[in-house]
């Protein structure tokens, strides 16, 4: 494979290393990775099918849940198949443009997921704090606009990155020390002035995580105030119980992000495979556990799934 061609300064393809330092364990690491991906596919596809088939679930909360499931399917499917190909077949080569597409999907759909979690916090806020206005506020039109805004924000923020990376000369070789084409892992191979990419990448990540999480926390401050004002303990328990699944999804998404960010600063000199394993966990964990969280805690979904299995047993 030639490192570059006559018409461009970028390589024809990159080589993904997988998990540097743990190459001898790739086959073993692939077992939990494949299991998590399988659970993510089955769980999220099941959620989408149930929500589509059950008319009673065509409500704002479940429509947002369907968005979350679709995003999780794309997010995991954009990276896991190639990662498993590296682990199983040592198929490390990825076309330069395929790498940029993978990077775009990975980062843009992560931003979309954050936006949908924020929208779900807004849904819980309206349902608990302004229950009489729930159906008039969260109309089908507004839900569509929220979904379109989530997509537009992600695409707008991530579109510049592939074009910026395409213009660099890659003089540090074609080997990416990662399992997939993560933005900063690609930037490290580029020559020239990459300060804008570094600053832009960090600024977008901080903007999304800090702002979205701040508004989610603010929503739950208002929700908690409203719940504590309810007369009976049973009413308080029932009201806050409707938020448990969403809180679980928020923790599943943001906890790995926070841990990874802290590790990058506190354990900056840790072995590279530590950071890569954390990054893989961030990609695998939310898509795998979100269907479980909502399937267990949501009565309508739980009953529908149990009904399918009971009919099979009859």
């Amino acid at each position: 494979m030639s490192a570059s061609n006559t018409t461009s300064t970028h390589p024809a393809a990159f080589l993904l290393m997988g998990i540097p330092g743990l190459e001898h364990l790739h086959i073993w690491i692939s077992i939990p990775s494949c299991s998590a991906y399988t659970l993510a596919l089955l769980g999220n596809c099941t959620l989408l099918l149930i929500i589509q088939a059950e008319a009673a679930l065509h409500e704002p909360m479940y429509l947002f849940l369907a968005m979350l499931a679709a995003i999780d399917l794309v997010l995991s499917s954009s990276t896991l198949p190639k990662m498993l190909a590296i682990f199983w077949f040592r198929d490390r080569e990825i076309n330069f443009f395929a790498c940029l597409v993978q990077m775009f999907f990975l980062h843009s759909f992560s931003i979309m997921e954050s936006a949908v979690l924020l929208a779900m916090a807004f849904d819980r806020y309206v349902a608990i704090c302004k229950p009489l206005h729930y159906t008039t506020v969260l109309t089908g039109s507004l839900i569509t606009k929220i979904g379109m805004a989530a997509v537009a924000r992600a695409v707008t923020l991530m579109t510049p990155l592939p074009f910026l990376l395409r213009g660099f000369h890659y003089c540090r070789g074609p080997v990416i020390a990662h399992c997939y084409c993560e933005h900063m892992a690609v930037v490290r191979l580029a020559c020239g002035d990459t300060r804008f990419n570094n600053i832009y990448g960090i600024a977008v990540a901080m903007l999304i995580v800090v702002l979205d999480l701040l508004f989610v926390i603010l929503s739950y401050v208002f929700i908690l105030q409203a719940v504590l004002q309810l007369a009976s303990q049973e009413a308080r328990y029932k009201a806050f119980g409707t938020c448990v699944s969403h809180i679980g999804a928020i923790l599943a998404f943001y906890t790995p992000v926070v841990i990874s960010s802290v590790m990058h600063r506190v354990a900056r000199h840790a072995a590279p495979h530590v950071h890569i394993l954390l990054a893989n966990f961030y990609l695998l964990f939310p898509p795998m556990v979100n269907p479980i969280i909502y399937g267990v805690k949501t009565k309508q979904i739980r009953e529908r799934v149990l009904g399918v299995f009971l009919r099979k047993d009859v």
Side-chain angles (χ1 to χ4, degrees):
M1 182 190 73
S2 65
S4 60
N5 55 41
T6 57
T7 61
S8 178
T9 57
H10 64 71
F14 286 122
L15 291 175
L16 293 166
M17 286 283 291
I19 306 177
L22 297 181
E23 289 88 351
H24 59 293
L25 297 176
H26 275 179
I27 195 68
W28 295 106
I29 295 170
S30 72
I31 296 172
S33 299
C34 183
S35 301
Y37 182 48
T38 303
L39 286 173
L41 288 178
L42 290 174
N44 287 294
C45 286
T46 301
L47 273 182
L48 287 171
L49 289 172
I50 288 173
I51 292 169
Q52 190 275 330
E54 193 69 47
L57 297 181
H58 295 175
E59 298 178 1
M61 183 176 78
Y62 301 109
L63 295 176
F64 286 131
L65 179 56
M67 292 182 198
L68 190 68
I71 289 167
D72 280 339
L73 282 172
V74 176
L75 194 57
S76 54
S77 297
S78 65
T79 54
L80 263 294
K82 183 60 183 180
M83 192 186 301
L84 292 174
I86 295 168
F87 292 160
W88 289 341
F89 311 115
R90 297 183 180 180
D91 180 15
R92 296 174 176 170
E93 186 172 307
I94 182 168
N95 179 273
F96 177 81
F97 294 104
C99 181
L100 296 186
V101 169
Q102 185 190 61
M103 183 199 70
F104 176 81
F105 272 82
L106 167 66
H107 294 304
S108 60
F109 276 82
S110 295
I111 294 172
M112 288 180 211
E113 178 146 358
S114 182
V116 170
L117 288 172
L118 175 57
M120 293 172 87
F122 176 67
D123 169 83
R124 292 299 82 206
Y125 164 76
V126 176
I128 293 172
C129 299
K130 301 182 183 296
L132 298 178
H133 303 287
Y134 184 73
T135 55
T136 56
V137 172
L138 282 165
T139 60
S141 173
L142 180 62
I143 293 167
T144 302
K145 288 176 183 176
I146 290 172
M148 292 174 65
V151 173
R153 181 180 74 157
V155 171
T156 301
L157 289 172
M158 287 298 106
T159 296
L161 294 184
F163 292 99
L164 289 169
L165 290 172
R166 186 180 178 184
F168 285 126
H169 175 63
Y170 293 86
C171 62
R172 295 189 176 95
V175 178
I176 299 174
H178 215 300
C179 298
Y180 51 83
C181 293
E182 191 266 337
H183 173 239
M184 292 309 301
V186 178
V187 169
R188 290 188 191 102
L189 303 180
C191 299
D193 189 356
T194 61
R195 283 177 299 177
F196 179 80
N197 284 71
N198 294 331
I199 295 169
Y200 187 80
I202 293 170
V204 168
M206 292 301 295
L207 180 71
I208 296 302
V209 172
V210 172
L211 278 184
D212 286 3
L213 194 53
L214 179 65
F215 283 118
V216 167
I217 292 170
L218 192 62
S219 296
Y220 274 98
V221 169
F222 291 127
I223 287 170
L224 190 58
Q225 287 177 343
V227 169
L228 292 176
Q229 289 172 1
L230 294 174
S232 69
Q233 185 174 351
E234 184 181 350
R236 290 195 291 268
Y237 178 79
K238 185 177 180 181
F240 202 72
T242 63
C243 302
V244 170
S245 298
H246 181 244
I247 293 171
I250 290 169
L251 291 174
F253 181 78
Y254 285 109
T255 302
V257 174
V258 173
I259 292 174
S260 180
S261 178
V262 170
M263 285 293 293
H264 271 288
R265 285 152 182 80
V266 175
R268 190 175 298 175
H269 301 296
H273 66 257
V274 174
H275 299 295
I276 293 173
L277 286 171
L278 276 173
N280 291 352
F281 179 74
Y282 163 70
L283 281 180
L284 285 167
F285 189 63
M288 178 184 70
V289 300
N290 283 341
I292 298 171
I293 292 169
Y294 279 94
V296 170
K297 291 298 298 180
T298 307
K299 182 181 178 182
Q300 294 94 324
I301 294 174
R302 185 172 66 247
E303 288 178 349
R304 180 80 182 197
V305 172
L306 290 173
V308 170
F309 285 106
L310 289 174
R311 281 198 295 271
K312 285 184 177 180
D313 291 339
V314 172

